[in-house]
Amino acid sequence: ETLRQQGWKLNLEVLEAMKANSPTDIIELTDDNGVLYEYNIHHENLHLPKHLKHLDGTKFMGKKDPKLQRMLSKYFEYMQVVKKAEMIGEETFYQEVSCDYRGRIYYAESFLEFQGSDLARSLFLFANEEVVTKEGFRWMLIHAANSYNASYNIEQLKDIDWLSTDYVSYLKEEGLETISVDKMTLEDRVAWSNNSLKFIMNCANKLSVKSEAEKPYSFLAVCIDIDNCLNSAGEYKSGLPIPIDGSNNGWQHLAAMSKDKQAGELVSLVPQEIQKDFYVQVAKRLIKRMPDWFAERNMPMKCIRKGIAKRGSMTRAYSAGQRKIAENMYHDCKVEGYHKKYKVTKEDSELLARNLILAINDTCVGPLKTMKFLQKVTNFIIESGETCLQWTTPSGFPVLYEVWKQKNMTFRSTIRTVGRIGHSVKIPVTTKEGNRIPCRRSFASGCSPNFVHSMDAAHMAKVIEAFPGTFGAIHDSFSTHACDIDKLVEHTKWQFAMLYNVNNFFDRIQSMLIENFKGYSVQQP
């Protein structure tokens, strides 16, 4: 109800810039002789040669080409967001929200919603404005640095005079060549923005969208607010949502459950001067397991982190298996062109995925033992004859988790002018008596991620309940007015700590999930 009652306004200056910067509808391609062709996403393009390449040398795969699909998706999203924004105009509007079965909150609107992409989120302003305090302005500067998120290599860092921390030694120790500003200390993020004030104000005055920024439209929105604040004759009121984010959120919860300090240090649960990079630590352990493979390809750490370690490490916290990790890895390598540059094949991806899981096991001992413990508890419940799992989260939300066996059924039909098409649907597998059958394997593997998601949802619900200010919700990213960020940080940390402030959280898990302990013999980690 708190989120439903939050009024929003549109950032009309950002909308103006958005309309002046519509995404391209042309892809430039070349043939084997280097002749340039233009592929228009609105046309059939039958006049073009069949064998074409992208400018980076990767093969163009026609209508199934990943880059084309992303371009089509971005263009369609842009059209939807702009059309809806034009309908709203200057009006105050509200967003419907609902909970899924784990208590996670989702906005019901499509495209123009606060949980959407940078394109959509950058248009949102709280309808109720608050005065920007000195501390609030500091958080605006941090938000600007995060949104632009410049990267610097070791040589560039040596010549920067506004830094207060030695990142060169850190990068050499980690085997990295570059660091992005969002990995720097908060003080140095403020320093980046102060050092870039002329650039920031120029972007605001010209409504300039910087495509090199990580979040171009969010960066423009905060640039406008910083410029307005600096040029205000008196107090300046702002409705700009300023976010604070979790760091590898699934691993954060699992590390806290297991009290694993090593894992906690990698996901920012333990205070440290420079934020550790979880994916780099996993990548290092992967390299140790496959030294010859990486030595042969001379692949830099930045590419290993991005194409090989990141997505697998992220999804493993939610019980992704070797096959899925391998599929995602090969797809990421194709998107980045690593499959050609570093000769990464599907077979390599399968080998890498297997070793990546072992590398994660070495890095996150406590969290992975917690996941296995949850699976064993689930197996005990299924073997006891139960067909579903029920628990109540610390926020009081009742979770009902069930997974049923399903089978695919395909139907053939015809659409005039299109021809024969197939419809594939999933239907439950039932006994002769018509009873649905639980899917034991999916049930056990899905329990851990669903339990973590429910705890994450409980954390946000408890923060919203305790926080007296305005709130914008995106799972593990919480937003409020600039002047209230320090309060929100305090509430966020406190509520997270209180979720796990018990000597043995495995006892808590058992009491939440199990009603009848008869025959129970699962050992805790």
Side-chain angles (χ1 to χ4, degrees), residues 33 75 123 125 159 330 387 448 458 465:
N33 298 317
Y75 193 89
L123 290 171
L125 296 172
D159 297 327
Y330 186 63
T387 57
S448 175
E465 183 183 35

Side-chain angles (χ1 to χ4, degrees), residues 464-478:
I464 295 172
E465 183 183 35
F467 184 60
T470 300
F471 194 93
I474 312 175
H475 303 315
D476 67 327
S477 175
F478 306 162

